[in-house]
Amino acid sequence: MAMFWCTEALPLAVTAMLPVCLFPTLGVLPSKKVCPQYFLETNFLFLSGLVMASAIEEWGLHRRIALKVLKIVGVKPAWLILGMMMTSASLSMWLSNTATTAMMLPIANAILESLFGDLETLKENCKVQDDPEGQSQVKLHMLPSEKHVLTGEDREMSERREASTQLKVWKGFLICIPYAASIGGTATLTGTAPNLILVGQLKSYFPECDLINFGSWFVFAFPLMIIFLFVAWIWISFLYGGLNTRLCINKQDDRAAAEAKARAVIDEDYKKLGPINFAEGSISFFFILFAILLFTRDPKFVTGWSVLFNKGYVSDAVTGVIIISILFFFPSERPSLSWWFNPRASNTPYVPLLSWKRVQECVPWNIILLLGGGFAMAKGCEESGLAAWIGGHLQPLAQVPPAAAVILITAFIACFTEFASNTATIIIFLPVIAELAIRVKVHPLYFMIPATVGCSYAFMLPVSTPPNSIAFASGHLMVKDMVKTGFMMNILGILCVSLAMNTWGLHMFTLHAYPDWARPLNSTEPLSAVLAFNTTG
């Protein structure tokens, strides 16, 4: 299955169904144990997130949010890059990374064309070697004083430098969107599939572990996302010219005209949306309610509302399904009550906020099968003893300080996921990492969380993630651009994860002590023999 997932010899979803065929026939697991793995409560939580995203996209709420953020941050290139990254990350916390990237790229291109003109013309200006007439027309964005001083070769060189700088900024715009979408997806459990796979496999391997839910994950991962997003913005802006003084500091020159035009494009697109209608307001309300209820169910640091029900009965999946069920009957237009008093009065046509047909078209059902295949494979590894066997061969790694092991695990997963889907990567390695943690007597979450987050940090290649592929397909980026930018992004991501795990993550999840729920059932080792590890190595 790992080979098929990495090479895509079969569609990913078809490979995910192989355990249904092979585990029973090979005597690994009976079908009554395999099949339920394909629709655990974790899958319902993921499905509720996808359905909510479908409703947001149906009524264009995501586009309104994106344009509003861009109106706020302004049109200076460095600030626009920050605005693009903030918007992409915020949307991908709730929408799929792919949908976020596909929506943001056209907005970015429209703004760039307003700032710098046509891209092909810009490329030509960068390539010009000789001016047959000895003169070159000065670009709009040059200083007025330069128009009188620069002639001939000086003017040509200045124009070429200006065009080259603008082309770099253009690339920075395009490359920041898929990167920010990948970073933003790590902040919520429903943001990307690997986060939910972590929850599902935790419940399979450690049934008594209840540390990870929507609220606790958000409290841990959201600050990590903010830090990495800021560091990534600094790196991308530095690399692609967004942080030099000519592009960050206001100057009273002709560039102001181009920036005013870009601002006008954003304003015009926002005006076209019109005022917020009843449907958008309703979706906004249910979306906020969805987030608040998931966050406050059992956030761990305070008592959640789940205590109002029988212990263990209400999960994040229950919360999500309750909210999305309302979307299928709540009206998309303000209902008229005049017919209560006058039966002959006209009534507003009833159209719900979301139809099942729309959900069928928009929800990537193959990902739900892929999640199930991962849970089934993890169950097979556990029941057959394969995970324990692999863990036994990893015993030499017990000599590596845990803090160093976190960096090594995150780096390895981040490199592997460049060539395989992040979902397949975490499905393959999470059981092994869990068994490794048990063998070396380290809190399992100390290894499993960095691996889960790290598999979303695929920045170096166009084939690494669908968002990377969409940005590369625009034809304006080269592979070397992504490799050069993504290599440092991977390093920065690994360092940020290590920082998070050894600071607030350490205290949130009590990672300094080996937990009772992680002790093997057949273990005879006294609890006092299980020592806390030193995170400083």
Side-chain angles (χ1 to χ4, degrees):
M1 286 177 69
M3 186 186 301
F4 279 10
W5 270 327
C6 294
T7 61
E8 295 192 38
L10 287 175
L12 296 181
V14 175
T15 302
M17 291 190 289
L18 288 180
V20 178
C21 311
L22 298 180
F23 282 0
T25 54
L26 295 176
V28 178
L29 281 176
S31 62
K32 66 180 180 181
K33 283 191 176 182
V34 179
C35 293
Q37 302 298 317
Y38 284 81
F39 231 72
L40 300 174
E41 64 174 347
T42 307
N43 297 66
F44 272 104
L45 176 59
F46 190 49
L47 177 62
S48 64
L50 294 174
V51 172
M52 179 59 73
S54 300
I56 291 172
E57 293 175 36
E58 170 77 5
W59 297 102
L61 184 61
H62 57 321
R63 184 172 178 82
R64 184 180 293 276
I65 295 170
L67 291 172
K68 188 64 177 179
V69 171
L70 295 178
K71 278 169 64 71
I72 293 171
V73 298
V75 293
K76 289 291 177 185
W79 303 122
L80 264 180
I81 288 176
L82 178 61
M84 289 285 179
M85 294 183 74
M86 287 170 52
T87 308
S88 300
S90 300
L91 291 174
S92 68
M93 288 166 57
W94 312 100
L95 310 182
S96 76
N97 301 350
T98 307
T100 299
T101 305
M103 184 209 71
M104 290 299 295
L105 280 175
I107 297 175
N109 280 320
I111 295 170
L112 288 166
E113 286 179 6
S114 301
L115 275 173
F116 303 139
D118 181 61
L119 179 64
E120 296 305 320
T121 305
L122 204 58
K123 288 180 177 178
E124 287 300 318
N125 289 341
C126 292
K127 295 176 183 176
V128 171
Q129 297 297 324
D130 297 301
D131 187 355
E133 298 179 2
Q135 293 182 344
S136 294
Q137 197 174 24
V138 180
K139 292 288 287 182
L140 171 66
H141 313 294
M142 294 184 63
L143 294 173
S145 58
E146 293 175 321
K147 294 181 182 179
H148 302 292
V149 177
L150 300 179
T151 57
E153 291 185 6
D154 290 337
R155 179 182 294 177
E156 182 184 332
M157 289 297 295
S158 178
E159 180 182 338
R160 211 182 309 162
R161 281 196 301 269
E162 185 78 12
S164 177
T165 300
Q166 293 169 4
L167 189 62
K168 284 174 64 179
V169 173
W170 196 303
K171 288 184 177 182
F173 268 67
L174 297 181
I175 212 167
C176 77
I177 292 172
Y179 288 1
S182 295
I183 295 169
T186 62
T188 61
L189 275 187
T190 55
T192 186
N195 299 351
L196 289 165
I197 291 170
L198 169 67
V199 176
Q201 296 204 4
L202 271 177
K203 289 177 180 176
S204 175
Y205 277 95
F206 310 111
E208 295 180 12
C209 174
D210 63 346
L211 291 177
I212 301 292
N213 58 43
F214 191 94
S216 63
W217 179 267
F218 185 83
V219 171
F220 166 77
F222 185 73
L224 170 59
M225 182 205 81
I226 294 295
I227 293 171
F228 190 19
L229 200 66
F230 178 74
V231 173
W233 171 64
I234 296 291
W235 167 240
I236 292 172
S237 296
F238 170 76
L239 195 62
Y240 291 98
L243 280 184
N244 66 51
T245 55
R246 297 201 60 177
L247 293 173
C248 260
I249 298 175
N250 280 317
K251 290 194 174 186
Q252 299 301 319
D253 61 7
D254 290 342
R255 187 178 290 109
E259 291 172 355
K261 187 178 177 183
R263 192 179 293 109
V265 168
I266 297 173
D267 290 341
E268 183 64 26
D269 283 351
Y270 191 78
K271 285 179 183 176
K272 286 179 181 176
L273 296 177
I276 294 180
N277 57 35
F278 183 77
E280 286 179 301
S282 302
I283 290 292
S284 301
F285 170 76
F286 286 118
F287 171 63
I288 294 170
L289 185 63
F290 177 79
I292 290 175
L293 288 179
L294 284 174
F295 181 76
T296 58
R297 183 188 66 83
D298 186 18
K300 300 302 178 186
F301 56 90
V302 293
T303 303
W305 56 263
S306 61
V307 296
L308 302 174
F309 302 90
N310 292 340
K311 186 176 180 180
Y313 274 55
V314 177
S315 67
D316 286 338
V318 176
T319 310
V321 172
I322 288 173
I323 297 299
I324 64 166
S325 298
I326 298 173
L327 302 180
F328 289 99
F329 64 80
F330 197 86
S332 59
E333 294 189 23
R334 191 187 307 276
S336 170
L337 300 180
S338 58
W339 56 271
W340 279 51
F341 310 101
N342 182 8
R344 297 183 179 180
S346 59
N347 192 16
T348 306
Y350 171 71
V351 178
L353 285 173
L354 194 60
S355 67
W356 185 250
K357 182 179 180 182
R358 172 71 179 176
V359 171
Q360 282 182 305
E361 294 171 353
C362 294
V363 171
W365 300 99
N366 59 320
I367 300 297
I368 293 177
L369 280 176
L370 191 58
L371 279 177
F375 296 147
M377 192 170 81
K379 190 72 174 176
C381 289
E382 179 190 5
E383 295 279 342
S384 66
L386 175 63
W389 180 83
I390 294 174
H393 286 74
L394 297 175
Q395 191 67 36
L397 289 177
Q399 307 304 318
V400 179
V406 166
I407 294 177
L408 292 175
I409 288 170
T410 312
F412 174 76
I413 295 293
C415 290
F416 191 90
T417 195
E418 299 287 353
F419 307 97
S421 84
N422 57 359
T423 309
T425 300
I426 203 65
I427 287 171
I428 294 166
F429 289 107
L430 209 52
V432 178
I433 291 169
E435 194 63 38
L436 169 64
I438 293 173
R439 293 282 174 168
V440 301
K441 295 294 184 292
V442 168
H443 197 298
L445 291 180
Y446 191 67
F447 285 173
M448 295 173 79
I449 291 177
T452 303
V453 176
C455 77
S456 292
Y457 292 168
F459 303 117
M460 288 177 61
L461 297 174
V463 297
S464 301
T465 64
N468 288 10
S469 301
I470 292 171
F472 186 76
S474 66
H476 309 324
L477 292 173
M478 301 174 68
V479 174
K480 67 178 183 180
D481 295 324
M482 301 198 83
V483 171
K484 178 175 66 173
T485 314
F487 180 74
M488 181 57 71
M489 287 284 292
N490 277 3
I491 293 175
L492 294 172
I494 292 164
L495 295 177
C496 287
V497 170
S498 180
L499 171 69
M501 292 305 300
N502 291 298
T503 50
W504 67 87
L506 195 71
H507 300 288
M508 270 193 65
F509 301 117
T510 321
L511 299 178
H512 55 273
Y514 192 77
D516 287 346
W517 50 258
R519 289 165 56 80
L521 296 177
N522 58 354
S523 173
T524 57
E525 185 179 11
L527 183 60
S528 59
V530 180
L531 302 176
F533 67 87
N534 183 354
T535 58
T536 62

